[in-house]
Amino acid sequence: MPGFNLGGGGRRGAGFLLVFLLSVACVGAAAPLSVELSSPSGLLRATIEVGGDGRLQWSVQRGTIQVLAPSPLGLLVDGEDLGNGVSLGRVEAREIREEFPTRGVKASAVNHCVSYTVPVTCTETKTEWYLEVRIFEDGVGMRYRIPGAGARRVEGEATAWVLPKDAPIWLQNDTRNYEGIYYRSSLEALYASDDVEKRWLGAPATVEPVDGIWMLITEACLYRYSGMTLHVEEPTRLRVGFQDDPEGWEMQGEILTPWRVTLVAADLNGLVNADLIQSLGEAPDPVLFPDGMATEWIRPGKGLITWAVFGNDGAQWWRQKWFVDMCAAMNCEYLLLDGGWRSEQWGFLRDGGDLWARLTELCQYGAERNVGIFVWSAYPEGRDDGPGLTDPAERRAFLDRCKAAGVKGVKIDFFDSESRDTIEVYEAFLRETAQRRLMVNFHGANKPTGETRTWPHEITREGIREQEYLLWGDLPLEHYGALPFTRMVAGHGDFLPGYVRPQYLKNTTSVFQLATAVIFTSPFICWPDHPEAYLESPFLPLVRTMPSVWDETRVLPGSELGGLVAMARRSGHDWFVAVINCRPVPAEFDLRLDFLGDGSYRAMLIRDVGEDDKTENLVESGRPVDASTTWALQLSSGGGLVARMGPPTSYTE
């Protein structure tokens, strides 16, 4: 068990330390001005202290490197600043070590941390509360617990991160539905901007190393609370804000905030593979999920989507069985019946059909072909593509009818807020879909905050600037290169990867597009292009065999945030490698296959040919490779590579 220092003393050894320190605190020693808390190995340390002005603050150090300078802490409740004029009490600590199944980046996660409870007392009002801190080897989670009864009003938060001057930060400014474009800046530049909206950031935000250490800032376990946005308060300081509840909100009984998360990693691979966000969540309810993540009705997979290139016309009834047939031909487990199907306007009810009878018929047709049906609904009222679900009784009736029809999952859209009230609606949907054994996909949504550990039937969510934007514009290459190390670290993202027709490639190649299906994590992959385009594509063998979840992920050396991204991901015995060049110029890249380990493999390789005609590609099958193989790649700007490698005994075309 690692220790904590009272009043700045040196770090002690393990074993007897916890009992010794607690016994010291119990004999009436003066209240400490600071406590130093450490990770299980002592590599990462956080100092909680009362500054000279009486303000509670924190700082973080990794080894000899200060990652976070002293930064304010505190919560404003009923007009009282609970972080100002305080003293610290006796610290309690316990070590947590567990392994639990996860989904997407890898098959299992490790929750190994030391959990600390730091009592805090406001010296004038005698208000007592607790700062809970969990320190992992790769980050810190911190939240406020305010005991009490009755109604109180949360009016703001002082929690902040003071970053090194001019530290580059990758961020996006859309705090409504998190569909902003990620770009590189600094807090100083954002603070000096004439556009005050640029001072508001939607988490997660990733800070480039100043002294060799990466940092990512976000939140975890957002339930029954308002969503955190980040405000550039000073040229080097980010502070927690609540844009969707600027006047605060009322809470009953104990106040428990979400975790304020600071990931700390030595490299991009460590950032992508961090388990901290999900580790802060609670295990799933064994009644709702008897086998947890592996509960039999929760099944990741791939699907076609009726909207995307078809728009709401894709919801016409005469297309639906054709869509199911296309799913079966592409080895897709699902069809997503998207926007427009519940509206008279778009043809699902043409020729006098009954809405629920037709849905039941479609689900039965799909079941005969091993294709499950997801259905879409808007959350708000007043749209032309179907009624909303703001009334709780109507919501439950809709879900009941979906279940009775044989639907496997629902896509709920257009929340466009993370106010406290809206967050409670998300949780209501999660609870009520779980009770009916329906998977759920949130769109027009906020950032993920580790919900999938507690609610493993959330199969994906948007909250990302994804490739629907290619239908009317394009995405900057830099945005593609940033997402794996910013937004995707927080959790799965419904990205709509893999366009194949030239009109949708924009500044990318078709191989780049296919590579995004490997690099961007979504346990429910929706292929957005016309189904016949996939069936006619040389990529079809890879599309048919593409996993949607992975047992292992490695960010390969040479990857850079916003630039070239190379990942190797394992599913069973097979490895998939994807490389995308998001630089504005061609790139050379030596792809080493040393992650393969012992044994020989056969590879299917798909790559771009030539720099002038980006629609051409080359498919090679059966190439022998092993851990000593290196491919020297020449990648055009917006170009890519995808490879699938399997042992010779299991290799298929």
Side-chain angles (χ1 to χ4, degrees), residues 157 159 161 172-176 178 199-203 217 219 222 226-232 238-245 260 418 447:
E157 194 168 321
T159 309
W161 292 259
Q172 62 87 26
N173 297 114
D174 184 340
T175 59
R176 179 170 174 261
Y178 287 77
R199 298 182 192 174
W200 288 99
L201 287 58
I217 299 168
E219 67 180 328
L222 174 56
S226 188
M228 176 189 80
T229 45
L230 297 168
H231 184 238
V232 183
L238 276 175
R239 177 176 173 169
V240 171
F242 303 102
Q243 273 196 303
D244 290 326
D245 283 307
R260 305 310 177 208
E418 54 181 348
K447 59 191 178 291

Side-chain angles (χ1 to χ4, degrees), residues 97-275:
R97 187 179 184 96
E98 62 173 338
E99 187 171 346
F100 60 91
T102 186
R103 184 177 60 220
V105 173
K106 50 189 174 180
S108 64
V110 175
N111 174 14
H112 189 200
C113 67
V114 184
S115 178
Y116 298 93
T117 300
V118 183
V120 182
T121 301
C122 299
T123 53
E124 288 190 10
T125 63
K126 306 304 180 186
T127 302
E128 296 179 347
W129 58 277
Y130 301 94
L131 183 68
E132 297 183 356
V133 185
R134 292 187 185 177
I135 306 189
F136 302 76
E137 302 299 344
D138 56 1
V140 178
M142 184 170 54
R143 68 180 177 183
Y144 305 96
R145 183 185 293 273
I146 320 298
R152 288 174 292 178
R153 190 168 190 81
V154 177
E155 297 170 335
E157 194 168 321
T159 309
W161 292 259
V162 175
L163 306 181
K165 182 177 172 59
D166 295 327
I169 184 170
W170 288 81
L171 68 134
Q172 62 87 26
N173 297 114
D174 184 340
T175 59
R176 179 170 174 261
N177 53 31
Y178 287 77
E179 294 183 22
I181 292 172
Y182 270 90
Y183 64 99
R184 187 176 189 262
S185 188
S186 68
L187 297 193
E188 188 170 26
L190 297 170
Y191 186 77
S193 173
D194 293 333
D195 184 356
V196 295
E197 292 301 316
K198 287 186 176 295
R199 298 182 192 174
W200 288 99
L201 287 58
T206 299
V207 183
E208 284 187 19
V210 173
D211 294 307
I213 304 299
W214 291 88
M215 182 164 57
L216 180 141
I217 299 168
T218 190
E219 67 180 328
C221 299
L222 174 56
Y223 301 113
R224 297 175 292 283
Y225 209 82
S226 188
M228 176 189 80
T229 45
L230 297 168
H231 184 238
V232 183
E233 188 178 49
E234 293 183 4
T236 60
R237 188 162 81 188
L238 276 175
R239 177 176 173 169
V240 171
F242 303 102
Q243 273 196 303
D244 290 326
D245 283 307
E247 304 303 319
W249 63 95
E250 188 176 277
M251 298 188 72
Q252 293 285 337
E254 180 180 68
I255 297 172
L256 184 65
T257 74
W259 295 94
R260 305 310 177 208
V261 170
T262 309
L263 284 179
V264 179
D267 54 31
L268 294 174
N269 185 62
L271 206 61
V272 167
N273 280 282
D275 298 329

